[in-house]
Amino acid sequence: MSRIGKHPVQVPSGVTVGIEGQTISAKGKLGALVATLPPEVVITFEDGKVTVAPRDEEKRSRAMWGMSRSLVQNLVKGVADGYTRRLEISGVGYRAAVDGKVLNLQLGYSHDIKFAVPEDIKIVCETPTVVIISGADKQRVGQIAAEIRGFRPPEPYKGKGVKYAEERILRKEGKKK
């Protein structure tokens, strides 16, 4: 039995959920999201709770059960509260700035990196070394954060580069004389 899948997803007030076959849609203050769940699970919505159950006792059905419940949870939480990733930039002369719908990154290359901000994502630079990415879709926020981090991942000797705020960089010792 799935430890995650057996718990129903609470739908907060202000969020409307619609189910059509294997497609679930959620609409809240931060927008609307839609997800298509695998055919091995059954979705029901009653008393303000979304319940996901396996269609039968096959191994794949049980495997899809917990994942489907997590997708529904991410959908509901995303339209209600949203998701945020925080990136920190460290290094001499490394900085970021938002110019309208373009994130301008100076990461020690001979040129500036211009990253176009998608419509469904909000990027804010509260200081030149902190970038905050937020949006309703958890997967999309994480993907954009990973792309920005990929321009200059943190290096292990001085820790220069773009890193997640909660990330710990394993440091290496430099060469000895």
Side-chain angles (χ1 to χ4, degrees):
M1 180 173 236
S2 174
R3 292 185 184 155
I4 295 171
K6 65 184 176 184
H7 300 294
V9 177
Q10 288 280 4
V11 178
S13 60
V15 175
T16 58
V17 174
I19 298 171
E20 289 182 25
Q22 293 303 107
T23 305
I24 183 166
S25 60
K27 188 173 167 107
K29 65 179 182 184
L30 294 178
L33 292 174
V34 177
T36 303
L37 301 181
E40 290 88 2
V41 295
V42 178
I43 321 154
T44 55
F45 177 61
E46 51 197 36
D47 301 331
K49 295 178 185 175
V50 177
T51 309
V52 180
R55 201 172 288 281
D56 48 38
E57 286 300 314
E58 291 182 20
K59 187 173 183 177
R60 179 154 169 86
S61 297
R62 289 178 311 191
M64 294 294 116
W65 184 16
M67 181 201 70
S68 299
R69 190 259 182 212
S70 293
L71 289 175
V72 172
Q73 173 70 36
N74 292 343
L75 209 70
V76 171
K77 185 176 184 278
V79 296
D81 304 326
Y83 288 97
T84 302
R85 281 312 287 250
R86 190 177 167 94
L87 297 174
E88 293 175 353
I89 302 171
S90 59
V92 177
Y94 290 14
R95 59 183 164 270
V98 177
D99 303 326
K101 293 301 269 175
V102 175
L103 176 67
N104 191 13
L105 297 162
Q106 295 175 341
L107 299 175
Y109 296 116
S110 61
H111 60 284
D112 291 356
I113 297 168
K114 300 203 182 305
F115 183 80
V117 179
E119 291 295 321
D120 56 338
I121 299 292
K122 187 174 134 199
I123 295 182
V124 177
C125 293
E126 56 183 29
T127 65
T129 59
V130 175
V131 178
I132 298 172
I133 303 154
S134 57
D137 190 352
K138 184 177 186 177
Q139 192 275 332
R140 192 100 165 94
V141 169
Q143 181 66 39
I144 298 296
E147 287 175 16
I148 293 171
R149 181 184 180 273
F151 291 130
R152 177 74 85 170
E155 52 96 15
Y157 297 101
K158 291 184 177 178
K160 293 175 14 177
V162 181
K163 71 177 190 83
Y164 299 117
E166 66 277 358
E167 181 179 14
R168 245 186 89 240
I169 294 144
L170 294 173
R171 303 297 282 275
K172 289 183 180 177
E173 191 175 340
K175 66 181 186 179
K176 298 177 179 67
K177 290 186 179 181

